[in-house]
Amino acid sequence: MPSSNKILLLFLLSLATIIHCEAFPRHHEFFVKEASYTRLCETKTILTVNGQFPGPTLHAHKEETVHVKVHNKGRHNITIHWHGVKQPRNPWSDGPAYITQCPIQPGDSFNYKIIFSMEVGTIWWHAHSDWSRATVHGAIVVHPKRGTCYPFPKPQEEVPIIFGEWWKEDVLQVLNEFVASGGAPRDSDAYTINGQPGDFYPCSSQNTFKLNVAYGKRYLLRMVNAAMNEILFFKIANHSLTVVASDGSYTKPLTKDYVVISPGQTLDCLLEANHVPPRGRYYMAARAYSTGVGVSFDNTTTTGIVQYNGDFVSTNTCIPLLPSLPYYNDTTAAFDFIGSLRSLGPILFPLNKYDTRIYSTVSLNTFPCQNNSCAGPNGTSLAASMNNISFESPRIDILQAYYNYINGVYGTQFPSEPPLYFNFTSTDLPLFLQTPKRATKVTMLEYNSTVEMVFQGTGLVSAQDHPMHLHGFNFYVVGWGFGNFDETKDPLNYNLVDPPFQNTVLVPINGWATIRFKAHNPGVWFMHCHLERHLTWGMNTVFIVKDGHRTEERMLPPPPSVSYDRVADQTNTVDNTDNANLPDGDGVSVSQKAGRLHHVTNQVPRHNHEEHKSGLDGMGFNQENPISLDTTYGSNINPKGDGATSFANVLKPERAPRKEVLSRKAKAKGKRTSSGFHMGKGASLAPKKQIYVAKKKNSEAGAAVQTSNTYEALNSLGGG
């Protein structure tokens, strides 16, 4: 080979890695604020990030860490979830409201630390409070590790394709309306591609999304389904798509004429611009895949346009060719695509065994209403459940309750199987089966255990498909099928060789799906249906993965953005149960100029309680009389001087293992605890049962920060 050709070849090979040596910003700021947008001939105010809809795309390399400071400039509480990011040992930045954090209140900010690990390809971020994610969302592109290449041909260009839904009304009005009525939400008025409805909607064709391509080139379409309530078919006329990644994990190449993408899912697809003239413009189109009998849905079609550059385009005004999409309820077409996905590998843990098994129904349900006055079937209120438990969001977030050993916030007995076995997929089921129980129940998992979870769809109220999403993990989808799961026969057909590695699995209508994952990420992790109406109705649960033995197997301590020393006021409850007591080794820290009002409530029958505050140099303090039963005492602690002062011990950055905590028996004998408290004779303090809850009021008015460790933290203002 001539030397000049060798040089050219080396240059071309180096180009494949140049893009993955590019340095991306590690620090970002998201300003959540309202902005005016016009769609479907009408203008309305929507919530955005940095004024953009969809929001900005984040870029990072595999295994990098990115920081995003979110400023809430809107009128409502907000949180952001980094969908598909495993966040190893770092649930503090996962984002679901009242699961891993209290919402960011208007005027406040929150620092998210996004730790990328095994993710590569397209994932996304979105609001995870109320229905704000309808407009607060954007893509995340995780490029291969520096110096490495894609396992597929290098594309000419990478293009985000973000599907959404648009309502003419304010989306929070839609939410409040259906929650109040007990019925289903009104259908959206349009679907969107990159924020635009497309040619088939009024006042929309001028801004239809257009992808300009060059003949013979290859394009990587990074697809995100950010729609609220609909699974979508997507197709480009006269072109095929080759799937190369799903949910931030590479797949074996799969070439199809169309794809199916559920809310929450992502797909990376290669588009070959290989169609010859005379026609040079082709519609890309998406519409719903919806199977619920009697369930209304938005049956419109959103479009974009693929148009060829140069001589292949005879005119820019020619009508694009429209693709023929599968019919709305074509379950065969949907699962022909879904069932063809395969992981590129390698398999990360043995799939031929598991330690914990959960068999969970996923159902729509109803609750009775007084005088049959609600808008659900027969005057009931619509609900949803897993194993007949309709999840109730707590009033303080589960992560802080877990980290501080607080009881009364959640229960640990989420059932590992349905309370009653019946023909789950029957269309003729007795009405009494429709009513679930309301509860906040979680599943405790041992660190590094292998978990199998079987989702079983039911025919209660209305059989539907359910895209089930797990935070903090990807899982292997080892099997799926229709009808009732047969634990003897169906596992024989599991794919244990190359199952897709995803974070969202579509459970088929009147069918089942089985996932397996390794519980090697300690922390609190949400699982829920990614159809937003089903999440609102309660098709949710939580996994708590316990710490392992080694330091690198333990959950990280809370970051400064949720540091306890930001809390100004506090309430402690003293009782004989496992509820909300001051933990050993921890105390109340008071920073300079941040006075604190400290409350102690005695709930120990037959015993008074007295409190001793030590280390109060420069503080004024009047020793209180013993606190009688059901009485609360409040004392002001006002630090003076240049340095921070505290009574008892300043909060530690890490949890002490339970074995290091003083025994309750020792405390009951009246020993002084490391928290600086004395107990009356016979009384006791339960170890590690404290939460510090912040509820910030209008800072411009100079209102103090208030906190409470009681279950009654004010949900209406987002305190948690």
Side-chain angles (χ1 to χ4, degrees):
M1 180 184 294
S3 60
S4 60
N5 289 345
K6 289 182 179 179
I7 294 173
L8 178 60
L9 178 60
L10 290 172
F11 173 73
L12 292 175
L13 289 173
S14 68
L15 285 179
T17 61
I18 285 176
I19 187 173
H20 308 310
C21 293
E22 180 182 355
F24 299 109
R26 299 289 189 94
H27 294 269
H28 303 267
E29 287 195 285
F30 278 12
F31 292 90
V32 179
K33 60 183 181 180
E34 294 179 341
S36 292
Y37 273 76
T38 300
R39 298 289 186 272
L40 310 181
C41 314
E42 298 181 16
T43 300
K44 71 170 185 174
T45 298
I46 64 172
L47 201 61
T48 68
V49 166
N50 299 347
Q52 301 175 42
F53 170 65
T57 297
L58 295 181
H59 291 265
H61 287 284
K62 185 179 180 181
E63 298 181 6
E64 289 184 341
T65 296
V66 171
H67 299 265
V68 180
K69 187 171 186 178
V70 176
H71 307 270
N72 187 358
K73 304 296 183 182
R75 295 178 292 123
H76 303 282
N77 293 338
I78 195 78
T79 64
I80 302 293
H81 169 52
W82 316 95
H83 186 117
V85 182
K86 311 303 178 295
Q87 295 281 23
R89 304 171 56 215
N90 185 36
W92 305 99
S93 288
D94 190 48
Y98 298 107
I99 305 299
T100 62
Q101 72 171 97
C102 294
I104 310 167
Q105 298 179 48
D108 278 359
S109 300
F110 190 90
N111 293 295
Y112 288 98
K113 181 179 181 180
I114 308 167
I115 304 174
F116 296 101
S117 54
M118 65 179 67
E119 306 85 4
V120 64
T122 306
I123 48 181
W124 64 304
W125 59 266
H126 60 81
H128 214 305
S129 49
D130 296 327
W131 274 32
S132 300
R133 81 167 178 87
T135 54
V136 179
H137 60 253
I140 301 175
V141 176
V142 185
H143 299 272
K145 201 171 181 178
R146 292 172 184 267
T148 64
C149 305
Y150 293 124
F152 48 82
K154 182 178 180 292
Q156 172 75 14
E157 186 180 349
E158 301 180 11
V159 184
I161 301 291
I162 302 176
F163 305 106
E165 281 185 271
W166 184 270
W167 280 263
K168 292 180 180 179
E169 296 79 10
D170 183 280
V171 70
L172 293 185
Q173 178 183 337
V174 174
L175 169 64
N176 294 334
E177 178 184 86
F178 88 86
V179 169
S181 71
R186 67 176 73 182
D187 298 327
S188 58
D189 297 294
Y191 300 111
T192 59
I193 295 177
N194 291 345
Q196 297 294 340
D199 286 358
F200 298 164
Y201 298 91
C203 307
S204 300
S205 58
Q206 184 176 356
N207 295 310
T208 295
F209 170 72
K210 297 177 179 65
L211 172 59
N212 294 314
V213 300
Y215 179 77
K217 300 297 183 181
R218 182 182 298 111
Y219 298 83
L220 180 60
L221 306 185
R222 297 188 173 277
M223 299 184 195
V224 176
N225 188 351
M228 299 290 281
N229 290 309
E230 300 301 342
I231 307 159
L232 297 173
F233 286 115
F234 175 78
K235 187 175 181 178
I236 300 175
N238 280 18
H239 292 74
S240 60
L241 296 166
T242 300
V243 181
V244 293
S246 172
D247 285 0
S249 179
Y250 290 133
T251 65
K252 293 179 178 178
L254 173 65
T255 301
K256 290 283 189 179
D257 291 336
Y258 64 91
V259 300
V260 180
I261 185 167
S262 301
Q265 288 187 321
T266 61
L267 292 172
D268 290 331
C269 298
L270 290 175
L271 167 66
E272 302 282 350
N274 56 9
H275 198 72
V276 296
R279 185 180 294 273
R281 304 180 82 221
Y282 303 87
Y283 274 126
M284 59 174 70
R287 74 178 183 191
Y289 162 61
S290 181
T291 56
V293 176
V295 178
S296 67
F297 64 97
D298 180 351
N299 62 1
T300 61
T301 302
T302 182
T303 57
I305 298 174
V306 175
Q307 54 188 25
Y308 281 73
N309 298 327
D311 296 335
F312 293 106
V313 181
S314 57
T315 172
N316 234 3
T317 60
C318 69
I319 299 175
L321 184 66
L322 185 68
S324 176
L325 286 161
Y327 199 64
Y328 299 108
N329 62 353
D330 193 339
T331 299
T332 301
F335 282 89
D336 176 66
F337 170 80
I338 293 168
S340 299
L341 291 171
R342 296 289 185 270
S343 173
L344 187 61
I347 301 300
L348 300 179
F349 59 89
L351 292 177
N352 59 351
K353 58 183 179 180
Y354 57 85
D355 304 301
T356 300
R357 183 171 181 269
I358 301 168
Y359 180 39
S360 178
T361 55
V362 283
S363 305
L364 296 186
N365 303 93
T366 60
F367 285 114
C369 287
Q370 187 174 7
N371 300 322
N372 296 327
S373 57
C374 293
N378 302 312
T380 61
S381 178
L382 285 167
S385 70
M386 297 179 66
N387 270 351
N388 210 45
I389 302 294
S390 186
F391 187 84
E392 284 194 315
S393 291
R395 298 187 180 186
I396 58 176
D397 63 276
I398 291 175
L399 175 57
Q400 290 216 45
Y402 168 65
Y403 186 80
N404 291 284
Y405 293 81
I406 304 302
N407 273 3
V409 177
Y410 60 88
T412 59
Q413 301 300 317
F414 180 82
S416 60
E417 60 181 342
L420 182 66
Y421 282 80
F422 54 93
N423 182 7
F424 296 117
T425 57
S426 172
T427 57
D428 185 20
L429 294 170
L431 291 179
F432 79 89
L433 293 173
Q434 293 186 5
T435 305
K437 296 180 179 179
R438 291 186 174 98
T440 307
K441 293 191 176 183
V442 310
T443 297
M444 306 296 297
L445 297 175
E446 295 297 327
Y447 179 82
N448 214 38
S449 59
T450 300
V451 181
E452 174 178 281
M453 188 163 192
V454 181
F455 301 97
Q456 174 67 64
T458 76
L460 292 172
V461 183
S462 174
Q464 296 182 30
D465 303 87
H466 299 288
M468 302 302 297
H469 170 56
L470 176 59
H471 293 218
F473 299 90
N474 268 31
F475 45 70
Y476 289 105
V477 183
V478 297
W480 60 270
F482 297 100
N484 295 317
F485 176 73
D486 187 319
E487 64 178 341
T488 301
K489 297 179 180 179
D490 287 328
L492 299 177
N493 297 315
Y494 281 174
N495 176 8
L496 305 180
V497 177
D498 57 357
F501 192 50
Q502 299 178 300
N503 59 59
T504 304
V505 58
L506 186 61
V507 182
I509 180 173
N510 282 325
W512 57 271
T514 301
I515 64 172
R516 288 182 180 175
F517 66 95
K518 177 71 77 171
H520 51 33
N521 193 5
V524 175
W525 307 107
F526 200 27
M527 168 171 271
H528 59 90
C529 181
H530 224 282
L531 299 182
E532 208 69 15
R533 63 182 184 270
H534 294 176
L535 186 155
T536 302
W537 288 333
M539 193 178 288
N540 322 318
T541 190
V542 171
F543 289 110
I544 296 181
V545 179
K546 299 178 184 178
D547 286 337
H549 297 295
R550 295 180 294 182
T551 300
E552 64 271 20
E553 298 172 347
R554 297 176 63 83
M555 189 169 63
L556 294 172
S561 56
V562 292
S563 172
Y564 302 133
D565 61 9
R566 292 179 60 197
V567 178
D569 298 346
Q570 172 181 331
T571 297
N572 293 124
T573 300
V574 180
D575 59 19
N576 268 332
T577 70
D578 286 340
N579 283 323
N581 295 304
L582 190 70
D584 274 323
D586 290 357
V588 182
S589 67
V590 184
S591 299
Q592 180 187 3
K593 299 180 182 179
R596 172 164 300 190
L597 178 62
H598 179 240
H599 298 279
V600 177
T601 302
N602 184 9
Q603 293 183 357
V604 183
R606 301 183 303 279
H607 294 283
N608 292 336
H609 171 67
E610 64 180 9
E611 181 177 339
H612 171 70
K613 296 180 174 66
S614 62
L616 298 181
D617 183 30
M619 298 184 185
F621 175 72
N622 295 320
Q623 174 64 44
E624 65 268 25
N625 293 321
I627 307 169
S628 58
L629 178 63
D630 292 329
T631 300
T632 299
Y633 180 86
S635 59
N636 288 303
I637 307 172
N638 297 304
K640 298 179 181 179
D642 295 332
T645 311
S646 67
F647 79 85
N649 296 330
V650 176
L651 287 164
K652 296 181 179 179
E654 294 185 357
R655 293 191 300 169
R658 289 180 185 267
K659 64 183 180 181
E660 297 178 11
V661 177
L662 293 177
S663 68
R664 300 185 193 179
K665 183 177 180 181
K667 295 178 192 175
K669 292 181 179 179
K671 287 189 177 182
R672 178 181 175 128
T673 70
S674 60
S675 61
F677 277 78
H678 289 293
M679 296 298 298
K681 183 178 179 181
S684 65
L685 277 174
K688 284 300 203 179
K689 303 289 182 183
Q690 172 81 21
I691 191 164
Y692 300 90
V693 178
K695 173 168 65 73
K696 186 171 182 180
K697 294 185 177 179
N698 189 334
S699 58
E700 295 180 359
V705 179
Q706 299 179 352
T707 65
S708 172
N709 71 336
T710 60
Y711 185 77
E712 292 76 24
L714 296 182
N715 186 28
S716 61
L717 290 178

